[in-house]
Amino acid sequence: MKLIECPRDAMQGLENFVPTDAKINYLNKLLQVGFDTLDFGSFVSPKAIPQMRDTAEVVDKLDLSTTSTKLLAIVANVRGAEDAVPFGQIQYLGFPLSVSETFQQKNTNKTIAEAFGEVAEIQNLCQKKGKELVVYLSMGFGNPYGDAYSPEIVEEFTEKLVQLGINIIAPSDTIGSSTTDEIKTLFGHLVKKFPNVEFGAHLHAKSSHTPKKVKAAYKAGVRRIDCTVRGFGGCPLADNKLVGNLATELVVSELTQLGVNLPIDDLKLAQAMLASQYVFG
C-alpha cells in the first residue's frame, strides 16, 4: 500500500502566503514519516496558484538524505513540465486531466482534447528525462456543471492514457460527492480491466465519511491513496465549497484496522501533525 501525502493540495488554496522557510520545515518533517511519495509543490503560473510560486526554491532545500519518500510535483502544461524536469530530486510529475470539459477549462485553460495533447508531450518529456507521469482524472466521480459523466467515460479516458504509456492513473473525487458504492464500482471495474495500471484514489471527504471511503477503495483493489495531514485542502478552482482531502491520520487508522502493514512512523506523524498548526493554524 502506498500513501501519497499531499501538502501541496492542502496549501494551494490558502489565502495567506506560507513563508518559504515554513514550507521547507513542514515538508522536511513529512519526509520523515514514511510516506511513499510527497506531493510537495507545483510548477504552475503564480497568477493561477500564487501559493506555489516558490516551489523551485523549496525543492532545493528539502533534506532527502535520510528518507525513501519520493517527490511529486504538479504541472498544468508542457512549460511547467519543462521547468520541473531539471530537478533530479523529483521523480514524479502529476497532471490534472479532467473528465469534465468545463473543469478542464477552469483548471488549465484548455479543452480536454488540448489537454490530451499536453499529456502526450509531457509523457514524452518524462520518458526522456527519467521521470514518471501520474495523471489525475479530475471530476472522476461526476461534476457540478452538468457535463456528461459515466464510469464508461472514465474507462475511455483510461484506455487513451494507457495507449500513451501512462502507468499511474488516479481518478479524483474533486468535489467530494462520491459514495462508497460509486467508489467500489468504478475502481473495481478499472482494476480488473487494466491490471497493469497502478490506480490511485484521490478522494475528498468529510472526516466522518473518510474511513468508509478508504475501506471501499481498498476493498476494490486500490493500493495507492492520497491523503493530507488533518484533512486540509480542496480544489480552489472547483467552484464549490471546499471539501477537504482524506485526513492522513484517519486513513492510517482505517488501513491498520483492515490489517494493512504500513511503514508509517507514528511518532514522526504526530510531530508532523503538531507542526502543521504553524502552516494551517
Side-chain angles (χ1 to χ4, degrees), residues 48-189:
I49 308 291
Q51 189 66 248
M52 295 290 106
R53 64 178 184 261
D54 58 354
T55 292
E57 183 179 353
V58 167
V59 69
D60 277 332
K61 299 290 181 58
L62 297 182
D63 183 4
L64 302 174
S65 62
T66 59
T67 182
S68 61
T69 300
K70 299 172 281 292
L71 296 182
L72 181 151
I74 296 295
V75 301
N77 50 39
V78 174
R79 179 178 177 180
E82 291 172 341
D83 289 340
V85 294
F87 292 92
Q89 308 97 308
I90 298 173
Q91 183 165 341
Y92 298 108
L93 298 189
F95 182 89
L97 176 66
S98 180
V99 177
S100 157
E101 189 73 60
T102 301
F103 188 63
Q104 189 68 60
Q105 289 279 5
K106 289 178 177 290
N107 204 28
T108 65
N109 198 31
K110 287 180 173 60
T111 66
I112 288 175
E114 290 170 336
F116 263 109
E118 294 272 311
V119 169
E121 290 189 56
I122 295 171
Q123 170 69 353
N124 185 50
L125 183 61
C126 285
Q127 291 176 328
K128 289 181 179 179
K129 300 296 184 179
K131 313 294 185 185
E132 188 160 8
L133 181 58
V134 180
V135 175
Y136 295 89
L137 291 179
S138 304
M139 299 292 172
F141 293 85
N143 63 82
Y145 312 115
D147 293 343
Y149 170 80
S150 69
E152 289 73 24
I153 291 176
V154 178
E155 179 182 334
E156 291 173 5
F157 273 63
T158 301
E159 183 67 54
K160 291 179 181 178
L161 292 172
V162 169
Q163 291 173 1
L164 292 174
I166 310 298
N167 296 315
I168 306 177
I169 301 171
S172 304
D173 182 9
T174 314
I175 56 175
S177 63
S178 65
T179 66
T180 54
D181 285 342
E182 288 170 340
I183 291 169
K184 290 177 183 177
T185 298
L186 182 63
F187 282 115
H189 175 70

Side-chain angles (χ1 to χ4, degrees), residues 173-275:
D173 182 9
T174 314
I175 56 175
S177 63
S178 65
T179 66
T180 54
D181 285 342
E182 288 170 340
I183 291 169
K184 290 177 183 177
T185 298
L186 182 63
F187 282 115
H189 175 70
L190 292 176
V191 168
K192 292 178 182 178
K193 179 76 174 182
F194 304 96
N196 296 322
V197 172
E198 180 180 330
F199 284 104
H202 185 95
L203 305 174
H204 292 175
K206 296 179 180 179
S207 59
S208 59
H209 297 161
T210 292
K212 61 183 181 182
K213 286 194 175 186
V214 171
K215 183 177 181 179
Y218 181 76
K219 292 293 187 180
V222 172
R223 296 297 180 266
R224 178 188 180 96
I225 295 180
D226 288 11
C227 51
T228 301
V229 165
R230 294 170 61 195
F232 291 117
C235 183
L237 300 174
D239 284 355
N240 67 294
K241 185 177 180 180
L242 295 185
V243 178
N245 290 288
L246 301 184
T248 301
E249 59 275 17
L250 297 180
V251 174
V252 170
S253 176
E254 180 63 23
L255 289 174
T256 300
Q257 290 184 45
L258 290 170
V260 180
N261 185 24
L262 297 169
I264 298 297
D265 185 318
D266 292 335
L267 176 59
K268 296 295 186 183
L269 175 57
Q271 292 173 344
M273 290 179 66
L274 183 63

Side-chain angles (χ1 to χ4, degrees), residues 41-52:
S42 60
F43 291 83
V44 299
S45 167
K47 292 182 180 180
I49 308 291
Q51 189 66 248
M52 295 290 106

